[in-house]
Amino acid sequence: MSQIVVIGAGMGAMAAAARLATAGHRVKVFERSETPGGAVRRLERDGFAFDTGPGLLHLPAVYRDLFLKTGREPLEQCVALSQVDPAARHLFPDGTDLRLPNASRAGVTAALDAAFGTGSGARWGAMLNRAREVWDATRRPLLEEPLRNERLAALGRDPYPAAGGGPLRRPARSLAEVAGRELRDPRLGALLESYALAHGLDPRETPAGAVVLPYLEQTFGSWYVAGGLGALADALWRRCRDRKVEFVFGAEVVRILERGGRAAGVELADGGHEEADLVVCGVDPRRLPGLLGASSPTQLWGEVGVRPAERRPAGRFTVLLALGGARPAGAVHRTVVHAGDREAELAAVFGPAGSRWRIGRSGRSEAHGALCERPTVTVLRPDDPAGRPDAEHEAVTLQVTVAAHASAGAPADSTAVDWAAPGVAEGFADRVVEVAEAAVPGLAGRLLWREVVTPADTAAVTGSVGGAVPAPALAGAGGRRLLPANATGLPGLYSVGGWSHPGGGLAHAGMSGALVAGLIVEGADWRGSY
C-alpha cells in the first residue's frame, strides 16, 4: 500500500484517485479551487444552473467502466443519463436546416440527403466507413494503452485511407482536404470541420484521421446527464469519498518534492508539506518544470519523449442566458449555428492558413488573434428542471471556440486575445447572442440576465495556460498531435488529465485516469486496459 498525492481534482485526476483507492492505496487530493471537477463546473444563480464546461457526454462506456470497477453502484444509479435526439441541429448561412438523429447511420444518411440533396448521405457515409478504419487502428494505442516508444512511428502516420482506393490515390493530408476532396458540398465540409473546431482544432492543420471525431459521436451517441455534467463530477467525487479518498480544497501545490531521484510529496502555498510515495499530477504538464524547479530531470517527459504541445489549442467562450418564458415544445437540445465566413473564422481563432509557425524578424511570432464578426455558435437548451427556477423560465448556454487568452507564459507563436481588456468580453458576447437568435427566435426580448465565461476565467480556475481547452490525441502529423506519456521521466511522478495521454474530452480524461492507475497498480510493463 502506497501513500499517493494527487494534484488537482479534475475528472482525470479523480478517475485515477478512485481506481487507486479501490486498489488499496491511501490517496489524498489537493485542489486549489473550492470544488471538484476541474473544467466541469456548474454556475448557479437565481434558481438557474448552467454547465460552464462541456455540456454533453460521449463514450459513456468509459465512466460505466470506472463506476463498475470502483464500487457497487453502477453509473446509472449515480446519475440519470439520457440520449439526446436529435443529436444536433445545424443551421447554415444559406438557410439550410439540418437535424441529425442520435446514433443512427441510416437516419443521418436520410437527413443529409433531404437537406443537401441526393448522394450527400452516401458521401458522408463513405467517409465514416473510412473513419471506422481509423478507429479500429488507433483505439487501443490512443485510448487503452500507455504511450510507448514502439508505437510512436505508427502513431505518427495518419491512418486515414485514400478515398477510392488504388495505389496512385494520395490520402487526404488534413481534415479540410477531406472536406474539399471527398464531401464537395461546402455545407457538408462545414459540418465535418465543426467537429474539429468544437475541440479547439484547426481543420486546415488537423490530420485527416480526425474524421474519427464525428464517427465516435454518430456511432456511440450523445448523452445528457440530468442536472448537467456537473452532476457527473459530483458523482465521481462522491465515489472517491466512498473509497476513502481524502480531499483538501483551497490548497494550491507550488512545488513537487524530490528525494533520492524520485517524487516524494508536495509543498503547498501555505508552506505545508505532504509526504508521499507517489505523486499524480493533474495539471497542464507545461507547468511541471516550474513545480519541480532544480529537481526537474533533463528527460522530464520520460522514455517516450513526447513533449507538451508547443502550439496552444483554442479556448472556449461561454455565455449563460437566463430567459423568461417557457422552453418551447420540440426545442432541440443542441443547435450549431455555422459561421457565414469559415475562412475568416479560422483566421480569427488560429491565424491565416500556414502562419502559426511564422516568426517575425524580432524573433517573436506575428500575432493573429482576433474576434470573428459572426462565429460558429453552439446553442445548448437542455430540457432539465434542475437548470431553471420553474417551467416558465429557460436556461440557455452559448459556446464559441475562440483564441486563447494572452496571458503570461503563453507560447510566443500562438494567437491570443486579451480577454481581460475592458469591453472585449461583453462586446463579443453581444455578437454571440445576436448569432444565437437564429436558433432561439426572440432571444433578446426574453433575456433576464447573462453571465460570460472567457478563456481568462478558465485560466484562473483551472490553471490552464491561456485558458486553453485540451484536444484529444490524434494519430498523424508526425506525432505532433500526441500528448505526453502518463509516466514522466521522474520516477514516482505521473501525469493525468486532458493535457496528458490520451488528451482532452470527458471520455479521454476518464481513460487517462485508468491508464495512470494501471501503471501504478500493475507496474511499468502493464500493456493496457483491455
Side-chain angles (χ1 to χ4, degrees):
M1 179 187 293
S2 298
Q3 178 69 43
I4 300 175
V5 162
V6 177
I7 305 173
M11 298 299 283
M14 288 197 293
R19 289 177 180 272
L20 290 168
T22 301
H25 296 286
R26 298 187 301 273
V27 183
K28 192 170 186 177
V29 178
F30 292 92
E31 166 59 46
R32 71 177 193 167
S33 73
E34 298 297 334
T35 56
V40 181
R41 293 177 178 271
R42 293 279 278 177
L43 184 146
E44 299 182 2
R45 173 181 164 186
D46 300 339
F48 292 88
F50 307 85
D51 283 318
T52 61
L56 291 171
L57 176 65
H58 301 106
L59 278 179
V62 172
Y63 286 90
R64 290 191 178 106
D65 179 75
L66 170 60
F67 277 73
L68 178 67
K69 292 179 178 176
T70 59
R72 295 180 179 178
E73 291 183 327
L75 177 63
E76 278 81 359
Q77 288 187 19
C78 299
V79 295
L81 288 174
S82 60
Q83 284 194 319
V84 175
D85 203 3
R89 179 189 184 197
H90 290 263
L91 298 177
F92 296 89
D94 67 350
T96 302
D97 188 336
L98 168 68
R99 300 189 182 210
L100 295 176
N102 196 2
S104 170
R105 287 284 296 273
V108 167
T109 297
L112 291 173
D113 282 345
F116 300 150
T118 302
S120 300
R123 292 197 299 276
W124 183 267
M127 181 198 71
L128 287 192
N129 287 338
R130 291 186 284 277
R132 180 176 181 176
E133 295 184 42
V134 176
W135 172 247
D136 290 341
T138 62
R139 183 187 67 186
R140 283 191 59 83
L142 282 180
L143 286 180
E144 299 169 3
E145 297 179 349
L147 196 61
R148 297 189 185 280
N149 275 323
E150 61 266 26
R151 288 285 198 178
L152 289 186
L155 290 175
R157 296 189 293 269
D158 193 332
Y160 188 69
L168 301 180
R169 181 69 172 175
R170 177 180 62 81
R173 291 171 293 191
S174 69
L175 200 68
E177 194 169 321
V178 173
R181 285 173 48 177
E182 300 177 24
L183 300 181
R184 299 193 287 276
D185 188 309
R187 295 165 299 180
L188 267 181
L191 174 63
L192 173 61
E193 292 184 0
S194 70
Y195 287 91
L197 187 64
H199 286 88
L201 295 167
D202 184 349
R204 302 167 302 180
E205 297 184 356
T206 299
V211 294
V212 74
L213 300 175
Y215 171 82
L216 289 176
E217 181 174 315
Q218 294 186 13
T219 301
F220 301 107
S222 300
W223 300 75
Y224 180 69
V225 179
L229 270 293
L232 178 63
D234 289 341
L236 181 50
W237 173 70
R238 290 193 299 271
R239 175 55 52 89
C240 287
R241 294 293 303 274
D242 290 344
R243 305 309 301 177
K244 309 304 180 185
V245 175
E246 182 180 353
F247 284 83
V248 183
F249 293 103
E252 182 176 6
V253 172
V254 296
R255 190 162 69 95
I256 296 172
L257 305 177
E258 179 268 339
R259 188 179 302 112
R262 60 179 296 112
V266 297
E267 178 183 340
L268 305 175
D270 63 6
H273 292 73
E274 184 74 23
E275 301 293 322
D277 301 305
L278 302 166
V279 175
V280 175
C281 187
V283 302
D284 189 334
R286 286 174 291 184
R287 294 180 55 199
L288 280 177
L291 290 172
L292 287 164
S295 299
S296 183
T298 303
Q299 299 298 327
L300 177 58
W301 313 118
E303 64 175 19
V304 178
V306 175
R307 300 177 59 85
E310 295 182 14
R311 292 181 294 176
R312 177 176 48 193
R316 181 185 293 120
F317 184 90
T318 305
V319 185
L320 312 173
L321 305 175
L323 304 183
R327 181 182 188 272
V332 176
H333 186 116
R334 175 176 52 161
T335 300
V336 180
V337 184
H338 288 260
D341 188 335
R342 173 69 69 186
E343 285 303 316
E345 177 175 40
L346 296 179
V349 179
F350 304 105
S355 68
R356 293 197 69 191
W357 292 99
R358 187 179 301 155
I359 304 299
R361 292 183 179 179
S362 65
R364 294 183 59 83
S365 67
E366 301 170 5
H368 301 289
L371 298 175
C372 182
E373 188 64 32
R374 294 187 66 83
T376 297
V377 177
T378 298
V379 181
L380 298 174
R381 306 179 71 181
D383 187 9
D384 187 350
R388 57 187 183 240
D390 53 50
E392 296 306 313
H393 294 84
E394 183 181 8
V396 174
T397 299
L398 313 179
Q399 295 181 338
V400 185
T401 297
V402 296
H405 179 51
S407 60
D413 61 346
S414 59
T415 60
V417 169
D418 185 359
W419 289 105
V424 171
E426 289 299 327
F428 190 64
D430 290 340
R431 301 186 204 176
V432 172
V433 171
E434 182 180 346
V435 172
E437 285 268 1
V440 189
L443 173 59
R446 296 176 58 195
L447 183 61
L448 302 177
W449 52 262
R450 77 186 188 192
E451 293 270 2
V452 177
V453 182
T454 73
D457 299 317
T458 302
V461 171
T462 67
S464 168
V465 178
V469 177
L474 295 168
R480 293 189 299 276
R481 297 298 179 178
L482 301 176
L483 282 298
N486 307 109
T488 74
L490 180 65
L493 176 63
Y494 297 84
S495 186
V496 72
W499 294 104
S500 304
H501 179 69
L506 278 172
H508 291 69
M511 289 304 302
S512 180
L515 291 170
V516 168
L519 286 167
I520 291 175
V521 174
E522 302 294 338
D525 293 331
W526 180 66
R527 306 307 296 180
S529 301
Y530 300 99

